[in-house]
Amino acid sequence: MKVDFDGLQAFVCVAELGSFVKAAQQLHLTQTALTRRIQKLESLLDTRLLDRTTRKVELTATGRDFLPQARHLVLDAQRTLE
């Protein structure tokens, strides 16, 4: 399986901030680009990680289970690149 770092980073950011708007701003992306990254990651994993409505974003049960590992991968990659 190919690792989708951009998707992992987007997922972690949305999960931590609880908002696509705030995550897009932090990552310097449009909301559309952020949404596509999340969709690509979910497609790669063949599961939904986030439940989204027009008013809120919540982690699915799978998303809650996956968040610690995703956060760890993103932090490790960032530390390695620094």
Side-chain angles (χ1 to χ4, degrees), residues 46-63:
D46 196 30
T47 190
R48 285 192 70 77
L49 299 171
L50 300 166
D51 283 327
R52 33 215 182 280
T53 67
T54 55
R55 298 201 181 257
K56 64 181 178 177
V57 176
E58 292 181 344
L59 293 168
T60 63
T62 303

PDB file of all heavy atoms in Angstrom, residues 46-63:
ATOM      1  N   ASP A  46     -10.328   2.330   2.279  1.00  0.00           N
ATOM      2  CA  ASP A  46     -11.639   1.699   2.078  1.00  0.00           C
ATOM      3  C   ASP A  46     -12.517   1.801   3.321  1.00  0.00           C
ATOM      4  O   ASP A  46     -13.169   0.834   3.715  1.00  0.00           O
ATOM      5  CB  ASP A  46     -11.482   0.240   1.632  1.00  0.00           C
ATOM      6  CG  ASP A  46     -12.758  -0.333   1.045  1.00  0.00           C
ATOM      7  OD1 ASP A  46     -13.533   0.448   0.463  1.00  0.00           O
ATOM      8  OD2 ASP A  46     -12.983  -1.551   1.188  1.00  0.00           O
ATOM      9  N   THR A  47     -12.503   2.985   3.942  1.00  0.00           N
ATOM     10  CA  THR A  47     -13.353   3.233   5.109  1.00  0.00           C
ATOM     11  C   THR A  47     -13.527   4.726   5.319  1.00  0.00           C
ATOM     12  O   THR A  47     -12.698   5.525   4.889  1.00  0.00           O
ATOM     13  CB  THR A  47     -12.758   2.586   6.381  1.00  0.00           C
ATOM     14  OG1 THR A  47     -13.715   2.641   7.424  1.00  0.00           O
ATOM     15  CG2 THR A  47     -11.483   3.281   6.831  1.00  0.00           C
ATOM     16  N   ARG A  48     -14.615   5.100   5.968  1.00  0.00           N
ATOM     17  CA  ARG A  48     -14.844   6.501   6.311  1.00  0.00           C
ATOM     18  C   ARG A  48     -14.137   6.792   7.632  1.00  0.00           C
ATOM     19  O   ARG A  48     -14.237   6.025   8.583  1.00  0.00           O
ATOM     20  CB  ARG A  48     -16.331   6.800   6.456  1.00  0.00           C
ATOM     21  CG  ARG A  48     -17.015   6.862   5.105  1.00  0.00           C
ATOM     22  CD  ARG A  48     -18.416   7.427   5.174  1.00  0.00           C
ATOM     23  NE  ARG A  48     -18.492   8.832   5.476  1.00  0.00           N
ATOM     24  CZ  ARG A  48     -18.246   9.824   4.621  1.00  0.00           C
ATOM     25  NH1 ARG A  48     -17.845   9.546   3.403  1.00  0.00           N
ATOM     26  NH2 ARG A  48     -18.391  11.079   4.954  1.00  0.00           N
ATOM     27  N   LEU A  49     -13.447   7.898   7.679  1.00  0.00           N
ATOM     28  CA  LEU A  49     -12.759   8.325   8.896  1.00  0.00           C
ATOM     29  C   LEU A  49     -13.489   9.468   9.580  1.00  0.00           C
ATOM     30  O   LEU A  49     -13.371   9.645  10.792  1.00  0.00           O
ATOM     31  CB  LEU A  49     -11.330   8.771   8.564  1.00  0.00           C
ATOM     32  CG  LEU A  49     -10.431   7.696   7.952  1.00  0.00           C
ATOM     33  CD1 LEU A  49      -9.128   8.319   7.472  1.00  0.00           C
ATOM     34  CD2 LEU A  49     -10.177   6.592   8.968  1.00  0.00           C
ATOM     35  N   LEU A  50     -14.238  10.232   8.791  1.00  0.00           N
ATOM     36  CA  LEU A  50     -14.941  11.405   9.303  1.00  0.00           C
ATOM     37  C   LEU A  50     -16.396  11.392   8.858  1.00  0.00           C
ATOM     38  O   LEU A  50     -16.699  11.030   7.724  1.00  0.00           O
ATOM     39  CB  LEU A  50     -14.292  12.688   8.775  1.00  0.00           C
ATOM     40  CG  LEU A  50     -12.834  12.927   9.126  1.00  0.00           C
ATOM     41  CD1 LEU A  50     -12.252  14.030   8.254  1.00  0.00           C
ATOM     42  CD2 LEU A  50     -12.697  13.274  10.595  1.00  0.00           C
ATOM     43  N   ASP A  51     -17.265  11.795   9.767  1.00  0.00           N
ATOM     44  CA  ASP A  51     -18.658  12.072   9.416  1.00  0.00           C
ATOM     45  C   ASP A  51     -18.777  13.585   9.366  1.00  0.00           C
ATOM     46  O   ASP A  51     -18.428  14.275  10.317  1.00  0.00           O
ATOM     47  CB  ASP A  51     -19.615  11.511  10.475  1.00  0.00           C
ATOM     48  CG  ASP A  51     -19.803  10.013  10.352  1.00  0.00           C
ATOM     49  OD1 ASP A  51     -19.766   9.501   9.215  1.00  0.00           O
ATOM     50  OD2 ASP A  51     -19.991   9.358  11.394  1.00  0.00           O
ATOM     51  N   ARG A  52     -19.237  14.110   8.248  1.00  0.00           N
ATOM     52  CA  ARG A  52     -19.325  15.545   8.102  1.00  0.00           C
ATOM     53  C   ARG A  52     -20.728  15.967   7.704  1.00  0.00           C
ATOM     54  O   ARG A  52     -21.374  15.319   6.899  1.00  0.00           O
ATOM     55  CB  ARG A  52     -18.317  16.070   7.112  1.00  0.00           C
ATOM     56  CG  ARG A  52     -18.011  15.135   5.954  1.00  0.00           C
ATOM     57  CD  ARG A  52     -16.578  15.275   5.583  1.00  0.00           C
ATOM     58  NE  ARG A  52     -15.936  14.590   4.531  1.00  0.00           N
ATOM     59  CZ  ARG A  52     -15.485  13.351   4.540  1.00  0.00           C
ATOM     60  NH1 ARG A  52     -15.782  12.537   5.489  1.00  0.00           N
ATOM     61  NH2 ARG A  52     -14.762  12.886   3.570  1.00  0.00           N
ATOM     62  N   THR A  53     -21.145  17.048   8.310  1.00  0.00           N
ATOM     63  CA  THR A  53     -22.383  17.707   7.918  1.00  0.00           C
ATOM     64  C   THR A  53     -22.012  19.159   7.618  1.00  0.00           C
ATOM     65  O   THR A  53     -20.845  19.541   7.738  1.00  0.00           O
ATOM     66  CB  THR A  53     -23.445  17.665   9.051  1.00  0.00           C
ATOM     67  OG1 THR A  53     -22.986  18.462  10.152  1.00  0.00           O
ATOM     68  CG2 THR A  53     -23.714  16.249   9.512  1.00  0.00           C
ATOM     69  N   THR A  54     -22.999  19.956   7.280  1.00  0.00           N
ATOM     70  CA  THR A  54     -22.701  21.367   7.004  1.00  0.00           C
ATOM     71  C   THR A  54     -22.313  22.117   8.276  1.00  0.00           C
ATOM     72  O   THR A  54     -21.716  23.175   8.215  1.00  0.00           O
ATOM     73  CB  THR A  54     -23.920  22.059   6.364  1.00  0.00           C
ATOM     74  OG1 THR A  54     -25.051  21.890   7.212  1.00  0.00           O
ATOM     75  CG2 THR A  54     -24.201  21.486   4.981  1.00  0.00           C
ATOM     76  N   ARG A  55     -22.615  21.557   9.429  1.00  0.00           N
ATOM     77  CA  ARG A  55     -22.354  22.251  10.684  1.00  0.00           C
ATOM     78  C   ARG A  55     -21.207  21.687  11.519  1.00  0.00           C
ATOM     79  O   ARG A  55     -20.656  22.385  12.357  1.00  0.00           O
ATOM     80  CB  ARG A  55     -23.614  22.273  11.539  1.00  0.00           C
ATOM     81  CG  ARG A  55     -24.741  23.011  10.874  1.00  0.00           C
ATOM     82  CD  ARG A  55     -25.751  23.451  11.894  1.00  0.00           C
ATOM     83  NE  ARG A  55     -26.841  24.136  11.242  1.00  0.00           N
ATOM     84  CZ  ARG A  55     -26.988  25.444  11.247  1.00  0.00           C
ATOM     85  NH1 ARG A  55     -26.108  26.201  11.848  1.00  0.00           N
ATOM     86  NH2 ARG A  55     -28.004  25.997  10.635  1.00  0.00           N
ATOM     87  N   LYS A  56     -20.878  20.399  11.332  1.00  0.00           N
ATOM     88  CA  LYS A  56     -19.835  19.834  12.189  1.00  0.00           C
ATOM     89  C   LYS A  56     -19.134  18.653  11.532  1.00  0.00           C
ATOM     90  O   LYS A  56     -19.613  18.087  10.563  1.00  0.00           O
ATOM     91  CB  LYS A  56     -20.418  19.414  13.539  1.00  0.00           C
ATOM     92  CG  LYS A  56     -21.438  18.293  13.462  1.00  0.00           C
ATOM     93  CD  LYS A  56     -21.985  17.963  14.836  1.00  0.00           C
ATOM     94  CE  LYS A  56     -23.029  16.873  14.713  1.00  0.00           C
ATOM     95  NZ  LYS A  56     -23.534  16.460  16.002  1.00  0.00           N
ATOM     96  N   VAL A  57     -17.984  18.328  12.111  1.00  0.00           N
ATOM     97  CA  VAL A  57     -17.190  17.192  11.676  1.00  0.00           C
ATOM     98  C   VAL A  57     -16.943  16.325  12.904  1.00  0.00           C
ATOM     99  O   VAL A  57     -16.557  16.836  13.961  1.00  0.00           O
ATOM    100  CB  VAL A  57     -15.829  17.643  11.110  1.00  0.00           C
ATOM    101  CG1 VAL A  57     -14.974  16.450  10.747  1.00  0.00           C
ATOM    102  CG2 VAL A  57     -16.006  18.553   9.927  1.00  0.00           C
ATOM    103  N   GLU A  58     -17.175  15.042  12.766  1.00  0.00           N
ATOM    104  CA  GLU A  58     -16.924  14.099  13.859  1.00  0.00           C
ATOM    105  C   GLU A  58     -16.153  12.914  13.324  1.00  0.00           C
ATOM    106  O   GLU A  58     -16.340  12.501  12.171  1.00  0.00           O
ATOM    107  CB  GLU A  58     -18.242  13.606  14.472  1.00  0.00           C
ATOM    108  CG  GLU A  58     -19.017  14.676  15.208  1.00  0.00           C
ATOM    109  CD  GLU A  58     -20.299  14.133  15.817  1.00  0.00           C
ATOM    110  OE1 GLU A  58     -20.743  13.026  15.417  1.00  0.00           O
ATOM    111  OE2 GLU A  58     -20.868  14.816  16.676  1.00  0.00           O
ATOM    112  N   LEU A  59     -15.296  12.359  14.161  1.00  0.00           N
ATOM    113  CA  LEU A  59     -14.585  11.147  13.801  1.00  0.00           C
ATOM    114  C   LEU A  59     -15.533   9.957  13.869  1.00  0.00           C
ATOM    115  O   LEU A  59     -16.355   9.865  14.782  1.00  0.00           O
ATOM    116  CB  LEU A  59     -13.424  10.901  14.759  1.00  0.00           C
ATOM    117  CG  LEU A  59     -12.282  11.905  14.714  1.00  0.00           C
ATOM    118  CD1 LEU A  59     -11.358  11.693  15.897  1.00  0.00           C
ATOM    119  CD2 LEU A  59     -11.515  11.765  13.431  1.00  0.00           C
ATOM    120  N   THR A  60     -15.410   9.068  12.913  1.00  0.00           N
ATOM    121  CA  THR A  60     -16.128   7.795  13.007  1.00  0.00           C
ATOM    122  C   THR A  60     -15.387   6.939  14.041  1.00  0.00           C
ATOM    123  O   THR A  60     -14.297   7.304  14.496  1.00  0.00           O
ATOM    124  CB  THR A  60     -16.122   7.063  11.655  1.00  0.00           C
ATOM    125  OG1 THR A  60     -14.772   6.747  11.311  1.00  0.00           O
ATOM    126  CG2 THR A  60     -16.791   7.882  10.558  1.00  0.00           C
ATOM    127  N   ALA A  61     -15.927   5.804  14.382  1.00  0.00           N
ATOM    128  CA  ALA A  61     -15.241   4.896  15.309  1.00  0.00           C
ATOM    129  C   ALA A  61     -13.888   4.497  14.730  1.00  0.00           C
ATOM    130  O   ALA A  61     -12.869   4.473  15.440  1.00  0.00           O
ATOM    131  CB  ALA A  61     -16.099   3.665  15.582  1.00  0.00           C
ATOM    132  N   THR A  62     -13.854   4.223  13.440  1.00  0.00           N
ATOM    133  CA  THR A  62     -12.594   3.881  12.782  1.00  0.00           C
ATOM    134  C   THR A  62     -11.631   5.062  12.812  1.00  0.00           C
ATOM    135  O   THR A  62     -10.434   4.891  13.046  1.00  0.00           O
ATOM    136  CB  THR A  62     -12.845   3.450  11.325  1.00  0.00           C
ATOM    137  OG1 THR A  62     -13.759   2.354  11.309  1.00  0.00           O
ATOM    138  CG2 THR A  62     -11.558   3.054  10.626  1.00  0.00           C
ATOM    139  N   GLY A  63     -12.145   6.251  12.587  1.00  0.00           N
ATOM    140  CA  GLY A  63     -11.325   7.463  12.641  1.00  0.00           C
ATOM    141  C   GLY A  63     -10.706   7.669  14.011  1.00  0.00           C
ATOM    142  O   GLY A  63      -9.530   8.034  14.129  1.00  0.00           O
TER     143      GLY A  63
END
